[in-house]
Amino acid sequence: MLQLKRAKINPIMVPDPSNWWESKAVFNCSVLNDGKNIHMLYRAIGEYEDYVSRIGYASSNDGLSFIRRKEPSMCPEMEYESYGIEDPRLTIIDDDNYVTYVVLSNYVRNNPSVSTALARTNDFFSYEKLGIITVEGSQDKDVVLFPKSDGDGELGKYMILHRPSSWIGPEYNTDRPSIWIAEGNSVTNFVKHALLIKPEQSWEALKVGTGVPPIKTKKGWLVIYHGVSSEHVYSAGAFLLDIKEPNKILGRTKSPLLAPKEDYELKGDVNNVVFPSGACVLDNKLFVYYGAADKVCCLATIDLQEIIDYLLSDACAIGLGK
Ligand code: BMA
């Protein structure tokens, strides 16, 4: 059974008690490798009364040690962000850096209403906020954009994976929150929605959601996702999508590649959580960044070829009718 290998230095980032907005928890980190630096955005908590999240920035040149900026990189400013901005995911499209992030528009503890918004940045200091990109009332989070570059022969269109929690029932052909794929006529307007990945195994019995934005490989789009068991344990798995037709699944892990085991994954603000949210390839190794127990940022790696071969092997074959 293939497994991601935890970095020996885990956790790679912990709360900073001396900094008001990230003194309690730093987790769910996403990365973007621009060839010079590895940029990271992460979710940060500085108080438990309202539990409002902000987004911090850190950078690295080896993917292991990250230097953080003192000031938050993104703060709630818009009305739709009033109760916090969470779980940033980074993607490059046509030379611009895009961040999808979760926004909560009603008070979290009373009547949570969840959407995902988009921002564009070139320097990680200023962000152009482009508004909510998910369908109203769909309770949509875990939204990741496919990367796209000018002259991209394979996929010259805007695409997302997303997890609309309220799209369940016979009319949606799924009875639990699932991963959908959609195509957009712009980076903010996604229209053609299709069901892609439903919960199948016991470790993902309650729901599944995309973790990291798709990574382009020679054999397909590689995606790391999370599944939640009926005991509320968050684990990580992977699937591979066809490069030209990303709604075609080439392989999918049947058992988790990473499940909570270490203390920092078992105990935190929410216990038993590994939540992958960013990845990059360095020296043919896949670096997967994840939040552990909603408290700290962690890293696990795997040889890129090894995970692709595994996803294309019989162990990950997709059964008929799925
Ligand atoms: C999800 C999000 C994540 C969090 C995870 C586990 O719904 O809120 O930010 O890490 O739950 O608590």
Side-chain angles (χ1 to χ4, degrees):
M1 216 174 55
L2 196 70
Q3 292 287 287
L4 294 180
K5 200 166 162 237
R6 291 172 178 83
K8 288 203 184 80
I9 54 165
N10 269 351
I12 60 167
M13 260 169 39
V14 298
D16 177 354
S18 71
N19 210 4
W20 64 273
W21 57 276
E22 57 173 349
S23 58
K24 304 290 188 221
V26 293
F27 54 115
N28 300 359
C29 35
S30 187
V31 294
L32 198 153
N33 183 2
D34 69 4
K36 285 187 230 125
N37 282 305
I38 296 150
H39 305 277
M40 174 189 275
L41 292 180
Y42 57 93
R43 179 177 170 192
I45 301 277
E47 43 74 29
Y48 290 128
E49 290 68 42
D50 295 320
Y51 205 58
V52 166
S53 295
R54 291 174 179 75
I55 292 176
Y57 171 86
S59 73
S60 167
N61 43 36
D62 61 4
L64 296 170
S65 63
F66 283 83
I67 297 177
R68 286 190 250 185
R69 254 189 223 147
K70 267 280 173 220
E71 300 302 322
S73 200
M74 289 176 81
C75 286
E77 295 158 332
M78 316 300 266
E79 196 273 324
Y80 59 83
E81 299 173 329
S82 350
Y83 298 106
I85 54 177
E86 306 181 349
D87 301 349
R89 264 94 169 199
L90 280 162
T91 305
I92 298 188
I93 295 182
D94 300 336
D95 295 331
D96 284 321
N97 306 322
Y98 285 90
V99 192
T100 55
Y101 59 100
V102 172
V103 294
L104 306 158
S105 46
N106 285 317
Y107 190 59
V108 195
R109 284 176 204 147
N110 297 331
N111 182 16
S113 154
V114 174
S115 308
T116 296
L118 183 69
R120 182 164 46 211
T121 182
N122 289 318
D123 54 11
F124 294 97
F125 281 101
S126 64
Y127 293 82
E128 184 188 353
K129 293 191 172 169
L130 303 171
I132 290 176
I133 59 165
T134 47
V135 176
E136 202 181 334
S138 61
Q139 305 284 15
D140 209 343
K141 48 162 73 173
D142 301 323
V143 179
V144 297
L145 284 158
F146 282 71
K148 166 172 152 354
S149 45
D150 278 339
D152 207 332
E154 282 95 6
L155 190 69
K157 46 193 173 193
Y158 301 105
M159 299 211 66
I160 50 169
L161 298 175
H162 63 124
R163 208 278 309 282
S165 288
S166 64
W167 290 7
I168 49 176
E171 68 274 39
Y172 295 105
N173 193 27
T174 182
D175 55 2
R176 283 158 295 163
S178 301
I179 298 174
W180 292 65
I181 187 163
E183 207 179 298
N185 45 29
S186 77
V187 77
T188 51
N189 187 25
F190 291 88
V191 277
K192 284 193 206 158
H193 299 273
L195 183 61
L196 187 71
I197 298 266
K198 299 194 223 184
E200 277 175 16
Q201 313 294 337
S202 60
W203 63 273
E204 53 187 22
L206 285 189
K207 53 186 172 181
V208 287
T210 299
V212 318
I215 293 174
K216 195 176 178 181
T217 75
K218 289 196 183 101
K219 299 288 178 153
W221 297 102
L222 172 61
V223 179
I224 308 292
Y225 74 104
H226 69 255
V228 187
S229 73
S230 47
E231 290 81 35
H232 293 272
V233 176
Y234 280 69
S235 307
F239 54 84
L240 191 69
L241 305 175
D242 186 84
I243 279 284
K244 289 191 183 139
E245 294 172 71
N247 47 6
K248 209 167 125 194
I249 305 160
L250 305 178
R252 174 180 176 185
T253 49
K254 295 197 169 61
S255 47
L257 292 171
L258 190 73
K261 192 182 91 185
E262 298 296 330
D263 266 1
Y264 52 80
E265 298 161 344
L266 298 173
K267 288 204 165 40
D269 289 349
V270 179
N271 297 341
N272 304 313
V273 175
V274 305
F275 193 84
S277 42
C280 63
V281 178
L282 297 169
D283 294 333
N284 300 316
K285 243 190 193 180
L286 180 72
F287 279 52
V288 179
Y289 296 86
Y290 64 99
D294 285 11
K295 190 71 174 175
V296 293
C297 293
C298 290
L299 167 68
T301 62
I302 193 162
D303 182 77
L304 182 63
Q305 194 58 48
E306 198 179 351
I307 186 170
I308 301 286
D309 289 347
Y310 183 70
L311 283 165
L312 292 171
S313 72
D314 287 349
C316 294
I318 301 299
L320 283 177
K322 290 197 177 143

